[in-house]
Amino acid sequence: DAGQASTDIRELLAAAEADLLDSIDQDDEPALRYLLTEDFRGVSAHGALHGIDGLRGQDPITNLEVITTERVSQDIAYVAYRAQRASTADAVVLSWWRLTGDARQAGTQRWQCFFRQETAHINV
């Protein structure tokens, strides 16, 4: 059932994104390395390109509102959401995920984030 599959991917990626945010908040490097691809890149709300180190020291997101989750191919999907932090401007976050691992080996596939961009959102 395609409707069930799209619901499952939304729930799965929402959970993966929540795990990623928790790992960033806790500066949990082993968890970050599990959730991010080796070639992970990000763009901060200030426009700086960064790797895994750029995720460190961010203020925690106090509230998030998922905008959409889309699977664009069998192994690529993204999550878009509005994020609020206590000390900085709100942001819209777009987080791209890739299904990695070998489909022929049970339990080896997982979704990993390979690109994440925050865009500052100014209320006007």
Side-chain angles (χ1 to χ4, degrees):
D1 176 351
Q4 180 66 35
S6 65
T7 299
D8 292 346
I9 192 69
R10 282 195 286 270
E11 291 172 1
L12 195 94
L13 288 174
E17 188 69 33
D19 288 347
L20 178 58
L21 293 174
D22 287 346
S23 300
I24 292 169
D25 291 349
Q26 296 164 15
D27 197 17
D28 183 343
E29 184 156 346
L32 286 172
R33 297 221 176 263
Y34 181 80
L35 292 164
L36 303 173
T37 61
E38 287 184 27
D39 61 346
F40 169 80
R41 291 291 173 262
V43 178
S44 73
H46 304 293
L49 184 65
H50 62 80
I52 189 174
D53 291 338
L55 297 175
R56 293 199 166 87
Q58 292 186 356
D59 291 330
I61 290 175
T62 55
N63 188 37
L64 72 86
E65 172 193 344
V66 173
I67 300 168
T68 188
T69 301
E70 298 292 333
R71 190 173 197 162
V72 295
S73 71
Q74 188 60 28
D75 61 346
I76 302 289
Y78 67 85
V79 179
Y81 59 93
R82 287 182 188 84
Q84 296 175 321
R85 291 191 170 94
S87 63
T88 57
D90 295 352
V92 174
V93 179
L94 186 61
S95 184
W96 284 87
W97 294 78
R98 179 183 304 134
L99 188 60
T100 62
D102 188 342
R104 296 168 298 187
Q105 291 182 298
T108 64
Q109 283 194 298
R110 68 179 189 265
W111 288 94
Q112 289 185 294
C113 182
F114 67 92
F115 185 80
R116 186 171 183 272
Q117 179 171 349
E118 291 196 29
T119 303
H121 176 73
I122 311 299
N123 294 323
V124 289

